[in-house]
mmCIF file of all heavy atoms in Angstrom:
data_model
loop_
_atom_site.group_PDB
_atom_site.id
_atom_site.type_symbol
_atom_site.label_atom_id
_atom_site.label_comp_id
_atom_site.label_asym_id
_atom_site.label_seq_id
_atom_site.Cartn_x
_atom_site.Cartn_y
_atom_site.Cartn_z
ATOM 1 N N SER B 1 0.850 -1.198 0.000
ATOM 2 C CA SER B 1 0.000 0.000 0.000
ATOM 3 C C SER B 1 0.880 1.239 0.000
ATOM 4 O O SER B 1 1.942 1.263 0.621
ATOM 5 C CB SER B 1 -0.911 0.019 1.235
ATOM 6 O OG SER B 1 -1.751 -1.117 1.247
ATOM 7 N N PHE B 2 0.403 2.252 -0.702
ATOM 8 C CA PHE B 2 1.141 3.520 -0.771
ATOM 9 C C PHE B 2 0.112 4.632 -0.665
ATOM 10 O O PHE B 2 -0.324 5.213 -1.643
ATOM 11 C CB PHE B 2 1.899 3.607 -2.102
ATOM 12 C CG PHE B 2 2.840 4.779 -2.182
ATOM 13 C CD1 PHE B 2 3.887 4.908 -1.292
ATOM 14 C CD2 PHE B 2 2.670 5.758 -3.148
ATOM 15 C CE1 PHE B 2 4.764 5.968 -1.365
ATOM 16 C CE2 PHE B 2 3.536 6.829 -3.234
ATOM 17 C CZ PHE B 2 4.581 6.941 -2.345
ATOM 18 N N LYS B 3 -0.345 4.871 0.570
ATOM 19 C CA LYS B 3 -1.482 5.746 0.798
ATOM 20 C C LYS B 3 -1.047 7.129 1.252
ATOM 21 O O LYS B 3 -0.169 7.270 2.092
ATOM 22 C CB LYS B 3 -2.415 5.132 1.847
ATOM 23 C CG LYS B 3 -2.944 3.754 1.446
ATOM 24 C CD LYS B 3 -3.755 3.117 2.564
ATOM 25 C CE LYS B 3 -4.222 1.727 2.169
ATOM 26 N NZ LYS B 3 -4.975 1.067 3.264
ATOM 27 N N LEU B 4 -1.702 8.139 0.690
ATOM 28 C CA LEU B 4 -1.526 9.531 1.136
ATOM 29 C C LEU B 4 -0.055 9.940 1.155
ATOM 30 O O LEU B 4 0.400 10.630 2.049
ATOM 31 C CB LEU B 4 -2.146 9.729 2.518
ATOM 32 C CG LEU B 4 -3.635 9.415 2.621
ATOM 33 C CD1 LEU B 4 -4.113 9.582 4.040
ATOM 34 C CD2 LEU B 4 -4.452 10.303 1.679
ATOM 35 N N LYS B 5 0.687 9.498 0.135
ATOM 36 C CA LYS B 5 2.090 9.884 -0.019
ATOM 37 C C LYS B 5 2.972 9.436 1.135
ATOM 38 O O LYS B 5 4.010 10.029 1.401
ATOM 39 C CB LYS B 5 2.209 11.400 -0.209
ATOM 40 C CG LYS B 5 1.356 11.957 -1.324
ATOM 41 C CD LYS B 5 1.768 11.396 -2.664
ATOM 42 C CE LYS B 5 0.946 11.995 -3.796
ATOM 43 N NZ LYS B 5 1.292 11.423 -5.094
ATOM 44 N N LYS B 6 2.561 8.370 1.834
ATOM 45 C CA LYS B 6 3.381 7.847 2.928
ATOM 46 C C LYS B 6 4.315 6.762 2.382
ATOM 47 O O LYS B 6 4.288 6.425 1.206
ATOM 48 C CB LYS B 6 2.493 7.277 4.036
ATOM 49 C CG LYS B 6 1.520 8.289 4.626
ATOM 50 C CD LYS B 6 2.241 9.405 5.348
ATOM 51 C CE LYS B 6 1.264 10.367 6.000
ATOM 52 N NZ LYS B 6 1.934 11.491 6.643
ATOM 53 N N LEU B 7 5.135 6.190 3.282
ATOM 54 C CA LEU B 7 6.014 5.116 2.873
ATOM 55 C C LEU B 7 5.201 3.895 2.465
ATOM 56 O O LEU B 7 4.134 3.630 3.001
ATOM 57 C CB LEU B 7 6.966 4.747 4.010
ATOM 58 C CG LEU B 7 8.001 5.801 4.408
ATOM 59 C CD1 LEU B 7 8.792 5.312 5.612
ATOM 60 C CD2 LEU B 7 8.940 6.106 3.245
ATOM 61 N N ARG B 8 5.744 3.146 1.514
ATOM 62 C CA ARG B 8 5.065 1.942 1.046
ATOM 63 C C ARG B 8 5.084 0.885 2.143
ATOM 64 O O ARG B 8 6.108 0.622 2.756
ATOM 65 C CB ARG B 8 5.752 1.400 -0.205
ATOM 66 C CG ARG B 8 5.009 0.243 -0.861
ATOM 67 C CD ARG B 8 5.752 -0.230 -2.106
ATOM 68 N NE ARG B 8 4.983 -1.194 -2.849
ATOM 69 C CZ ARG B 8 4.919 -2.494 -2.573
ATOM 70 N NH1 ARG B 8 5.629 -2.962 -1.549
ATOM 71 N NH2 ARG B 8 4.198 -3.313 -3.305
ATOM 72 N N LEU B 9 3.921 0.263 2.395
ATOM 73 C CA LEU B 9 3.802 -0.756 3.425
ATOM 74 C C LEU B 9 3.477 -2.089 2.781
ATOM 75 O O LEU B 9 2.692 -2.160 1.833
ATOM 76 C CB LEU B 9 2.699 -0.381 4.425
ATOM 77 C CG LEU B 9 2.869 0.954 5.170
ATOM 78 C CD1 LEU B 9 1.648 1.224 6.024
ATOM 79 C CD2 LEU B 9 4.127 0.926 6.024
ATOM 80 N N ALA B 10 4.090 -3.150 3.290
ATOM 81 C CA ALA B 10 3.805 -4.491 2.788
ATOM 82 C C ALA B 10 2.517 -5.002 3.426
ATOM 83 O O ALA B 10 2.358 -4.975 4.646
ATOM 84 C CB ALA B 10 4.968 -5.425 3.110
ATOM 85 N N ASN B 11 1.575 -5.451 2.583
ATOM 86 C CA ASN B 11 0.322 -6.002 3.084
ATOM 87 C C ASN B 11 0.489 -7.479 3.396
ATOM 88 O O ASN B 11 1.263 -8.191 2.740
ATOM 89 C CB ASN B 11 -0.794 -5.820 2.048
ATOM 90 C CG ASN B 11 -1.149 -4.356 1.847
ATOM 91 O OD1 ASN B 11 -1.015 -3.555 2.757
ATOM 92 N ND2 ASN B 11 -1.610 -4.007 0.653
ATOM 93 N N SER B 12 -0.275 -7.964 4.386
ATOM 94 C CA SER B 12 -0.242 -9.390 4.723
ATOM 95 C C SER B 12 -0.981 -10.182 3.641
ATOM 96 O O SER B 12 -1.852 -9.646 2.950
ATOM 97 C CB SER B 12 -0.905 -9.614 6.082
ATOM 98 O OG SER B 12 -2.249 -9.156 6.054
ATOM 99 N N PRO B 13 -0.645 -11.478 3.452
ATOM 100 C CA PRO B 13 -1.275 -12.281 2.397
ATOM 101 C C PRO B 13 -2.801 -12.237 2.364
ATOM 102 O O PRO B 13 -3.377 -12.241 1.263
ATOM 103 C CB PRO B 13 -0.747 -13.697 2.691
ATOM 104 C CG PRO B 13 0.604 -13.458 3.297
ATOM 105 C CD PRO B 13 0.439 -12.214 4.118
ATOM 106 N N PRO B 14 -3.512 -12.188 3.512
ATOM 107 C CA PRO B 14 -4.983 -12.124 3.417
ATOM 108 C C PRO B 14 -5.485 -10.869 2.686
ATOM 109 O O PRO B 14 -6.625 -10.856 2.196
ATOM 110 C CB PRO B 14 -5.429 -12.123 4.880
ATOM 111 C CG PRO B 14 -4.325 -12.804 5.620
ATOM 112 C CD PRO B 14 -3.076 -12.385 4.917
ATOM 113 N N MET B 15 -4.663 -9.821 2.606
ATOM 114 C CA MET B 15 -5.081 -8.595 1.925
ATOM 115 C C MET B 15 -4.765 -8.627 0.432
ATOM 116 O O MET B 15 -5.192 -7.761 -0.304
ATOM 117 C CB MET B 15 -4.393 -7.383 2.566
ATOM 118 C CG MET B 15 -4.752 -7.140 4.012
ATOM 119 S SD MET B 15 -3.828 -5.747 4.713
ATOM 120 C CE MET B 15 -4.422 -4.384 3.703
ATOM 121 N N TRP B 16 -4.009 -9.632 -0.018
ATOM 122 C CA TRP B 16 -3.657 -9.698 -1.424
ATOM 123 C C TRP B 16 -4.907 -9.983 -2.256
ATOM 124 O O TRP B 16 -5.841 -10.656 -1.824
ATOM 125 C CB TRP B 16 -2.640 -10.801 -1.683
ATOM 126 C CG TRP B 16 -1.305 -10.577 -1.025
ATOM 127 C CD1 TRP B 16 -0.919 -9.482 -0.307
ATOM 128 C CD2 TRP B 16 -0.206 -11.488 -1.000
ATOM 129 N NE1 TRP B 16 0.362 -9.636 0.144
ATOM 130 C CE2 TRP B 16 0.835 -10.853 -0.270
ATOM 131 C CE3 TRP B 16 0.013 -12.744 -1.532
ATOM 132 C CZ2 TRP B 16 2.056 -11.470 -0.049
ATOM 133 C CZ3 TRP B 16 1.244 -13.360 -1.324
ATOM 134 C CH2 TRP B 16 2.246 -12.729 -0.594
ATOM 135 N N ILE B 17 -4.913 -9.478 -3.447
ATOM 136 C CA ILE B 17 -5.992 -9.753 -4.401
ATOM 137 C C ILE B 17 -5.393 -10.613 -5.501
ATOM 138 O O ILE B 17 -4.398 -10.238 -6.106
ATOM 139 C CB ILE B 17 -6.575 -8.449 -4.983
ATOM 140 C CG1 ILE B 17 -7.130 -7.588 -3.850
ATOM 141 C CG2 ILE B 17 -7.652 -8.744 -6.015
ATOM 142 C CD1 ILE B 17 -7.567 -6.207 -4.291
ATOM 143 N N ARG B 18 -6.002 -11.756 -5.753
ATOM 144 C CA ARG B 18 -5.394 -12.685 -6.686
ATOM 145 C C ARG B 18 -6.423 -13.245 -7.659
ATOM 146 O O ARG B 18 -7.606 -13.338 -7.357
ATOM 147 C CB ARG B 18 -4.674 -13.809 -5.953
ATOM 148 C CG ARG B 18 -5.567 -14.665 -5.074
ATOM 149 C CD ARG B 18 -4.749 -15.682 -4.277
ATOM 150 N NE ARG B 18 -3.968 -16.523 -5.166
ATOM 151 C CZ ARG B 18 -2.647 -16.664 -5.071
ATOM 152 N NH1 ARG B 18 -1.977 -16.008 -4.132
ATOM 153 N NH2 ARG B 18 -2.000 -17.448 -5.900
ATOM 154 N N LYS B 19 -5.948 -13.614 -8.812
ATOM 155 C CA LYS B 19 -6.750 -14.302 -9.815
ATOM 156 C C LYS B 19 -5.896 -15.446 -10.346
ATOM 157 O O LYS B 19 -4.952 -15.237 -11.115
ATOM 158 C CB LYS B 19 -7.121 -13.338 -10.948
ATOM 159 C CG LYS B 19 -7.744 -14.011 -12.165
ATOM 160 C CD LYS B 19 -9.075 -14.663 -11.845
ATOM 161 C CE LYS B 19 -9.678 -15.256 -13.137
ATOM 162 N NZ LYS B 19 -10.915 -15.999 -12.854
ATOM 163 N N ASP B 20 -6.206 -16.648 -9.891
ATOM 164 C CA ASP B 20 -5.470 -17.813 -10.364
ATOM 165 C C ASP B 20 -5.880 -18.133 -11.796
ATOM 166 O O ASP B 20 -7.056 -18.020 -12.165
ATOM 167 C CB ASP B 20 -5.735 -19.019 -9.461
ATOM 168 C CG ASP B 20 -5.169 -18.824 -8.062
ATOM 169 O OD1 ASP B 20 -4.299 -17.949 -7.905
ATOM 170 O OD2 ASP B 20 -5.601 -19.529 -7.136
ATOM 171 N N GLY B 21 -4.915 -18.534 -12.601
ATOM 172 C CA GLY B 21 -5.192 -18.869 -13.984
ATOM 173 C C GLY B 21 -5.538 -17.665 -14.834
ATOM 174 O O GLY B 21 -6.303 -17.778 -15.803
ATOM 175 N N ALA B 22 -4.986 -16.506 -14.486
ATOM 176 C CA ALA B 22 -5.284 -15.291 -15.259
ATOM 177 C C ALA B 22 -4.621 -15.321 -16.629
ATOM 178 O O ALA B 22 -5.134 -14.749 -17.583
ATOM 179 C CB ALA B 22 -4.820 -14.051 -14.489
ATOM 180 N N PHE B 23 -3.457 -15.969 -16.736
ATOM 181 C CA PHE B 23 -2.779 -16.069 -18.027
ATOM 182 C C PHE B 23 -2.265 -17.486 -18.221
ATOM 183 O O PHE B 23 -2.258 -18.302 -17.293
ATOM 184 C CB PHE B 23 -1.580 -15.105 -18.151
ATOM 185 C CG PHE B 23 -1.450 -14.087 -17.063
ATOM 186 C CD1 PHE B 23 -0.633 -14.308 -15.959
ATOM 187 C CD2 PHE B 23 -2.132 -12.886 -17.138
ATOM 188 C CE1 PHE B 23 -0.513 -13.367 -14.959
ATOM 189 C CE2 PHE B 23 -2.007 -11.947 -16.140
ATOM 190 C CZ PHE B 23 -1.207 -12.183 -15.049
ATOM 191 N N GLU B 24 -1.824 -17.743 -19.430
ATOM 192 C CA GLU B 24 -1.273 -19.057 -19.733
ATOM 193 C C GLU B 24 0.095 -19.191 -19.053
ATOM 194 O O GLU B 24 0.966 -18.330 -19.233
ATOM 195 C CB GLU B 24 -1.121 -19.223 -21.248
ATOM 196 C CG GLU B 24 -0.636 -20.602 -21.666
ATOM 197 C CD GLU B 24 -0.554 -20.740 -23.172
ATOM 198 O OE1 GLU B 24 -1.083 -19.848 -23.877
ATOM 199 O OE2 GLU B 24 0.047 -21.723 -23.634
ATOM 200 N N PRO B 25 0.317 -20.252 -18.288
ATOM 201 C CA PRO B 25 1.605 -20.392 -17.580
ATOM 202 C C PRO B 25 2.751 -20.667 -18.541
ATOM 203 O O PRO B 25 2.568 -21.268 -19.597
ATOM 204 C CB PRO B 25 1.369 -21.583 -16.649
ATOM 205 C CG PRO B 25 0.276 -22.365 -17.298
ATOM 206 C CD PRO B 25 -0.605 -21.358 -17.991
ATOM 207 N N VAL B 26 3.945 -20.198 -18.141
ATOM 208 C CA VAL B 26 5.154 -20.480 -18.922
ATOM 209 C C VAL B 26 6.067 -21.436 -18.173
ATOM 210 O O VAL B 26 7.063 -21.900 -18.729
ATOM 211 C CB VAL B 26 5.905 -19.176 -19.280
ATOM 212 C CG1 VAL B 26 5.044 -18.275 -20.146
ATOM 213 C CG2 VAL B 26 6.383 -18.450 -18.037
ATOM 214 N N VAL B 27 5.749 -21.685 -16.891
ATOM 215 C CA VAL B 27 6.498 -22.641 -16.067
ATOM 216 C C VAL B 27 5.494 -23.643 -15.504
ATOM 217 O O VAL B 27 4.454 -23.239 -14.979
ATOM 218 C CB VAL B 27 7.243 -21.921 -14.916
ATOM 219 C CG1 VAL B 27 7.889 -22.926 -13.974
ATOM 220 C CG2 VAL B 27 8.277 -20.964 -15.466
ATOM 221 N N PRO B 28 5.765 -24.950 -15.580
ATOM 222 C CA PRO B 28 4.850 -25.934 -14.993
ATOM 223 C C PRO B 28 4.677 -25.696 -13.494
ATOM 224 O O PRO B 28 5.663 -25.439 -12.781
ATOM 225 C CB PRO B 28 5.541 -27.276 -15.266
ATOM 226 C CG PRO B 28 6.421 -27.008 -16.445
ATOM 227 C CD PRO B 28 6.884 -25.584 -16.287
ATOM 228 N N PRO B 29 3.435 -25.807 -12.977
ATOM 229 C CA PRO B 29 3.204 -25.542 -11.541
ATOM 230 C C PRO B 29 4.068 -26.396 -10.624
ATOM 231 O O PRO B 29 4.558 -25.905 -9.603
ATOM 232 C CB PRO B 29 1.713 -25.867 -11.373
ATOM 233 C CG PRO B 29 1.129 -25.636 -12.725
ATOM 234 C CD PRO B 29 2.184 -26.054 -13.698
ATOM 235 N N GLU B 30 4.278 -27.691 -10.978
ATOM 236 C CA GLU B 30 5.077 -28.549 -10.093
ATOM 237 C C GLU B 30 6.528 -28.080 -10.030
ATOM 238 O O GLU B 30 7.186 -28.196 -8.983
ATOM 239 C CB GLU B 30 5.002 -29.999 -10.558
ATOM 240 C CG GLU B 30 5.548 -30.272 -11.951
ATOM 241 C CD GLU B 30 4.519 -30.066 -13.056
ATOM 242 O OE1 GLU B 30 3.463 -29.446 -12.780
ATOM 243 O OE2 GLU B 30 4.775 -30.523 -14.184
ATOM 244 N N VAL B 31 7.028 -27.511 -11.128
ATOM 245 C CA VAL B 31 8.390 -26.972 -11.133
ATOM 246 C C VAL B 31 8.461 -25.740 -10.236
ATOM 247 O O VAL B 31 9.401 -25.569 -9.444
ATOM 248 C CB VAL B 31 8.821 -26.624 -12.575
ATOM 249 C CG1 VAL B 31 10.151 -25.867 -12.578
ATOM 250 C CG2 VAL B 31 8.928 -27.892 -13.413
ATOM 251 N N PHE B 32 7.463 -24.860 -10.362
ATOM 252 C CA PHE B 32 7.437 -23.633 -9.556
ATOM 253 C C PHE B 32 7.406 -23.969 -8.062
ATOM 254 O O PHE B 32 8.173 -23.396 -7.273
ATOM 255 C CB PHE B 32 6.224 -22.789 -9.941
ATOM 256 C CG PHE B 32 6.077 -21.523 -9.143
ATOM 257 C CD1 PHE B 32 6.757 -20.371 -9.502
ATOM 258 C CD2 PHE B 32 5.266 -21.481 -8.015
ATOM 259 C CE1 PHE B 32 6.633 -19.203 -8.759
ATOM 260 C CE2 PHE B 32 5.132 -20.320 -7.271
ATOM 261 C CZ PHE B 32 5.814 -19.176 -7.648
ATOM 262 N N HIS B 33 6.527 -24.887 -7.663
ATOM 263 C CA HIS B 33 6.378 -25.198 -6.235
ATOM 264 C C HIS B 33 7.615 -25.924 -5.700
ATOM 265 O O HIS B 33 7.979 -25.753 -4.529
ATOM 266 C CB HIS B 33 5.120 -26.026 -6.014
ATOM 267 C CG HIS B 33 3.857 -25.255 -6.285
ATOM 268 N ND1 HIS B 33 3.544 -24.094 -5.622
ATOM 269 C CD2 HIS B 33 2.853 -25.470 -7.180
ATOM 270 C CE1 HIS B 33 2.380 -23.615 -6.063
ATOM 271 N NE2 HIS B 33 1.946 -24.432 -7.017
ATOM 272 N N THR B 34 8.287 -26.698 -6.539
ATOM 273 C CA THR B 34 9.548 -27.316 -6.120
ATOM 274 C C THR B 34 10.599 -26.239 -5.845
ATOM 275 O O THR B 34 11.348 -26.317 -4.860
ATOM 276 C CB THR B 34 10.058 -28.278 -7.204
ATOM 277 O OG1 THR B 34 9.088 -29.304 -7.423
ATOM 278 C CG2 THR B 34 11.375 -28.919 -6.789
ATOM 279 N N ALA B 35 10.633 -25.233 -6.711
ATOM 280 C CA ALA B 35 11.581 -24.121 -6.526
ATOM 281 C C ALA B 35 11.295 -23.381 -5.227
ATOM 282 O O ALA B 35 12.232 -23.010 -4.493
ATOM 283 C CB ALA B 35 11.499 -23.168 -7.718
ATOM 284 N N GLN B 36 10.013 -23.179 -4.903
ATOM 285 C CA GLN B 36 9.680 -22.471 -3.668
ATOM 286 C C GLN B 36 10.136 -23.255 -2.443
ATOM 287 O O GLN B 36 10.603 -22.683 -1.452
ATOM 288 C CB GLN B 36 8.165 -22.202 -3.583
ATOM 289 C CG GLN B 36 7.572 -21.466 -4.784
ATOM 290 C CD GLN B 36 8.459 -20.368 -5.301
ATOM 291 O OE1 GLN B 36 8.766 -19.405 -4.602
ATOM 292 N NE2 GLN B 36 8.886 -20.501 -6.555
ATOM 293 N N ALA B 37 9.993 -24.583 -2.505
ATOM 294 C CA ALA B 37 10.423 -25.420 -1.380
ATOM 295 C C ALA B 37 11.934 -25.345 -1.188
ATOM 296 O O ALA B 37 12.425 -25.284 -0.049
ATOM 297 C CB ALA B 37 9.981 -26.862 -1.624
ATOM 298 N N ILE B 38 12.674 -25.326 -2.297
ATOM 299 C CA ILE B 38 14.135 -25.226 -2.206
ATOM 300 C C ILE B 38 14.548 -23.891 -1.607
ATOM 301 O O ILE B 38 15.404 -23.827 -0.713
ATOM 302 C CB ILE B 38 14.765 -25.412 -3.606
ATOM 303 C CG1 ILE B 38 14.572 -26.848 -4.084
ATOM 304 C CG2 ILE B 38 16.250 -25.039 -3.586
ATOM 305 C CD1 ILE B 38 15.014 -27.081 -5.512
ATOM 306 N N LEU B 39 13.939 -22.817 -2.086
ATOM 307 C CA LEU B 39 14.301 -21.488 -1.578
ATOM 308 C C LEU B 39 13.942 -21.333 -0.112
ATOM 309 O O LEU B 39 14.678 -20.715 0.660
ATOM 310 C CB LEU B 39 13.602 -20.412 -2.418
ATOM 311 C CG LEU B 39 14.063 -20.310 -3.882
ATOM 312 C CD1 LEU B 39 13.188 -19.312 -4.653
ATOM 313 C CD2 LEU B 39 15.523 -19.885 -3.960
ATOM 314 N N LYS B 40 12.789 -21.898 0.274
ATOM 315 C CA LYS B 40 12.371 -21.812 1.680
ATOM 316 C C LYS B 40 13.332 -22.592 2.573
ATOM 317 O O LYS B 40 13.662 -22.153 3.680
ATOM 318 C CB LYS B 40 10.953 -22.346 1.832
ATOM 319 C CG LYS B 40 10.391 -22.174 3.232
ATOM 320 C CD LYS B 40 8.934 -22.623 3.308
ATOM 321 C CE LYS B 40 8.379 -22.410 4.710
ATOM 322 N NZ LYS B 40 6.948 -22.861 4.795
ATOM 323 N N ALA B 41 13.798 -23.752 2.095
ATOM 324 C CA ALA B 41 14.712 -24.566 2.899
ATOM 325 C C ALA B 41 16.057 -23.887 3.074
ATOM 326 O O ALA B 41 16.773 -24.157 4.050
ATOM 327 C CB ALA B 41 14.898 -25.931 2.239
ATOM 328 N N ARG B 42 16.423 -23.006 2.155
ATOM 329 C CA ARG B 42 17.712 -22.316 2.250
ATOM 330 C C ARG B 42 17.703 -21.185 3.268
ATOM 331 O O ARG B 42 18.759 -20.704 3.673
ATOM 332 C CB ARG B 42 18.094 -21.744 0.887
ATOM 333 C CG ARG B 42 18.500 -22.781 -0.129
ATOM 334 C CD ARG B 42 18.880 -22.117 -1.440
ATOM 335 N NE ARG B 42 19.295 -23.073 -2.449
ATOM 336 C CZ ARG B 42 19.660 -22.728 -3.681
ATOM 337 N NH1 ARG B 42 19.636 -21.446 -4.041
ATOM 338 N NH2 ARG B 42 20.026 -23.651 -4.556
#
């Protein structure tokens, strides 16, 4: 959020607005989620 010319604040995930399947994927979902698990473990 960047309200009233203040510093940008990170919103928590429940405040995110999302649309799954909005575009055609370029990376297979199983590959993406494997990458997230690796990065999280690091």
Side-chain angles (χ1 to χ4, degrees):
S1 300
F2 188 61
K3 301 174 182 178
L4 301 177
K5 307 297 182 182
K6 301 295 183 183
L7 293 176
R8 187 180 188 278
L9 301 175
N11 293 331
S12 59
M15 297 177 63
W16 295 356
I17 300 173
R18 61 185 303 125
K19 170 64 177 175
D20 293 342
F23 350 95
E24 184 178 348
V26 298
V27 174
E30 62 273 15
V31 171
F32 178 84
H33 292 302
T34 300
Q36 306 320 298
I38 292 173
L39 294 174
K40 185 176 181 180
R42 288 181 179 179

